[in-house]
Amino acid sequence: MTKTENESADRWEAQIRKGCLELAILAGLWENRLYGLEILRVLEGDSNLGLAEGTLYLILNRLKAEGLVDSEWVDAGSGHPRKYYVLTEVGKERLLEMTHFWNRFSANLNVLTGRVVGQKELTNAQK
Amino acid sequence: MRKSDVEALIERYLSDFRRALLKVPATEREDMLQEIRCHIVERVEAYGEVTEPLLNQILDSVGDPKQLASQYKTSAMLRRAVKSRSPWVLLSTTFSWATTGVAGIVALIIAVIGYGAATASSLCFLLKPFFPSRVGLWLSPQHTLTLGYWNGKLIDTEIYGFAFRPPFNFVVLGTLPSTNGPVREMLGLWIYPVCFLGALLLLVATTSFTRWFIRKFGPRRSLSLNTGDKTQCLQSTATSLR
């Protein structure tokens, strides 16, 4: 691949990651209330979203302003208080809608990309 | 590294952040800073002992304070602007949005043209009684229409206001070049109702349109809810390929 092709591939990947961040963050909060660093660990562990850590707080702040999450400071005896985030009812509904969309969307895309992988294996086998 | 040195470095990072967020309400700002501080402290504690390069690396991975602060401010401003009907809020918001990309620049141009024309209209309405022969809607020989103040000269003609020459030549405040020659006033006393209603209409239309534009193209959620059509489309493509 040439340099520009590489760059445009990188940009495409970055866009996909960026587009999925909100879904990933909300999904991370589905079962538990979490604080910033925990959310980051969940994101790093379950999906490689390549996030600048400070950006997470900007997104959480926006999600809170939109009423999708709520937050509270909790001093759990760790020496310093932590700001925990929890999904609101609106946030849960929103997450369900997003999840349904995502599942339909990725299933359809998999049908298309499945054919591509199939073709590629076929050509490799012919060589 | 000594504990006090670590704390000093963290505080320096946070004070950069604070300085960049000065215009944000104090409670909101301090809450944000406190959260970032906790984040850094916990990262540091996880290592036990940190060296200066390691601490710098931790701060780097949090992000550049100026950049983070400017993202934060723009996003907070856009959120506020969507709910606001104040031309001043909308103009200053699109102004800082314009520094971040094409959508912002388009929004700024729309807002400047719309509010500029509204300002020209209301100034004409207010100034006409005082300068009846100078204020008006002027048609120059080059088919330039200017709503505003004419300097009274037929050579070196200048008309300050909102100028429009079909099809796409706009000047919000100022004069389009080569307007020399006899200028003709088009409206007479009709200028009062036309400018009054025009200014009102332009104000309302620009405000609604700018708000709609921010809602539509501002830094928004990742997967919007009304993408059903696209899924349908992709679904049918997939089926037809099968």
Side-chain angles (χ1 to χ4, degrees):
Chain A
M1 258 202 275
T2 65
K3 200 181 164 198
T4 36
E5 276 172 345
N6 248 331
E7 273 171 13
S8 82
D10 283 352
R11 210 177 313 136
W12 178 77
E13 279 175 25
Q15 273 175 345
I16 299 255
R17 289 208 174 100
K18 201 173 146 198
C20 296
L21 256 182
E22 192 174 314
L23 173 60
I25 292 171
L26 292 175
L29 291 169
W30 181 248
E31 286 173 322
N32 301 309
R33 63 167 198 185
L34 302 171
Y35 65 96
L37 209 55
E38 278 181 323
I39 298 176
L40 215 58
R41 288 197 195 107
V42 169
L43 294 187
E44 281 163 358
D46 296 345
S47 53
N48 182 18
L49 288 167
L51 179 67
E53 299 183 1
T55 318
L56 172 73
Y57 295 102
L58 301 184
I59 300 170
L60 285 169
N61 198 278
R62 178 166 61 80
L63 294 176
K64 192 180 169 186
E66 288 175 357
L68 300 180
V69 301
D70 213 347
S71 68
E72 57 169 346
W73 285 96
V74 177
D75 195 346
S78 60
H80 43 80
R82 289 162 174 162
K83 195 177 183 183
Y84 278 88
Y85 290 88
V86 59
L87 281 179
T88 60
E89 282 309 310
V90 182
K92 281 182 187 163
E93 272 173 41
R94 185 66 206 289
L95 173 59
L96 280 171
E97 283 165 354
M98 285 170 90
T99 308
H100 287 149
F101 171 80
W102 175 258
N103 288 344
R104 275 202 318 272
F105 180 79
S106 55
N108 291 329
L109 209 55
N110 283 343
V111 174
L112 288 172
T113 50
R115 293 166 49 91
V116 177
V117 175
Q119 284 292 326
K120 177 105 182 170
E121 278 166 2
L122 206 66
T123 17
N124 281 348
Q126 279 169 352
K127 280 176 193 169
Chain B
M1 253 181 120
R2 277 184 313 184
K3 204 174 173 205
S4 59
D5 292 337
V6 174
E7 273 165 17
L9 211 58
I10 295 176
E11 284 314 312
R12 203 173 69 198
Y13 177 90
L14 289 173
S15 70
D16 282 349
F17 216 125
R18 181 175 291 117
R19 211 170 310 128
L21 283 177
L22 272 186
K23 283 184 186 158
V24 174
T27 43
E28 205 178 316
R29 179 178 64 226
E30 292 309 315
D31 192 77
M32 181 87 182
L33 287 170
Q34 181 62 22
E35 195 174 18
I36 303 263
R37 179 187 283 114
C38 287
H39 178 102
I40 299 167
V41 167
E42 198 157 326
R43 275 267 193 252
V44 169
E45 279 174 358
Y47 285 103
E49 190 73 19
V50 285
T51 57
E52 194 168 338
L54 182 58
L55 181 54
N56 281 325
Q57 201 185 323
I58 291 173
L59 295 178
D60 275 350
S61 64
V62 176
D64 174 39
K66 278 195 201 116
Q67 219 172 342
L68 285 174
S70 110
Q71 281 173 9
Y72 179 81
K73 272 192 294 193
T74 309
S75 142
M77 271 180 110
L78 287 169
R79 267 202 313 271
R80 229 171 301 143
V82 167
K83 291 179 198 145
S84 167
R85 290 188 187 279
S86 144
W88 175 245
V89 170
L90 289 167
L91 261 178
S92 53
T93 304
T94 47
F95 191 76
S96 49
W97 189 19
T99 59
T100 67
V102 181
I105 294 171
V106 174
L108 179 64
I109 292 172
I110 293 167
V112 167
I113 290 179
Y115 288 131
T119 310
S121 295
S122 29
L123 279 176
C124 282
F125 178 81
L126 295 172
L127 293 176
K128 181 74 176 175
F130 302 103
F131 309 98
S133 60
R134 295 293 178 83
V135 171
L137 178 69
W138 305 98
L139 181 69
S140 77
Q142 289 83 19
H143 304 290
T144 304
L145 260 182
T146 311
L147 183 66
Y149 182 86
W150 171 43
N151 67 356
K153 293 178 183 170
L154 291 177
I155 297 163
D156 296 332
T157 311
E158 284 189 346
I159 308 165
Y160 300 101
F162 185 81
F164 172 66
R165 185 191 295 151
F168 292 122
N169 221 340
F170 276 107
V171 172
V172 172
L173 276 176
T175 181
L176 284 171
S178 66
T179 46
N180 280 359
V183 287
R184 199 148 56 92
E185 211 284 312
M186 305 292 290
L187 285 174
L189 286 178
W190 278 100
I191 196 164
Y192 290 108
V194 168
C195 280
F196 184 78
L197 289 176
L200 212 63
L201 201 72
L202 279 163
L203 198 67
V204 172
T206 311
T207 304
S208 319
F209 191 80
T210 313
R211 280 162 48 120
W212 172 83
F213 196 86
I214 293 174
R215 212 170 307 136
K216 185 98 180 159
F217 299 105
R220 286 300 310 155
R221 39 188 61 123
S222 47
L223 297 166
S224 82
L225 293 177
N226 47 12
T227 30
D229 293 348
K230 285 179 200 152
T231 331
Q232 287 290 313
C233 170
L234 198 66
Q235 212 156 23
S236 54
T237 321
T239 327
S240 67
L241 275 171
R242 223 171 269 159

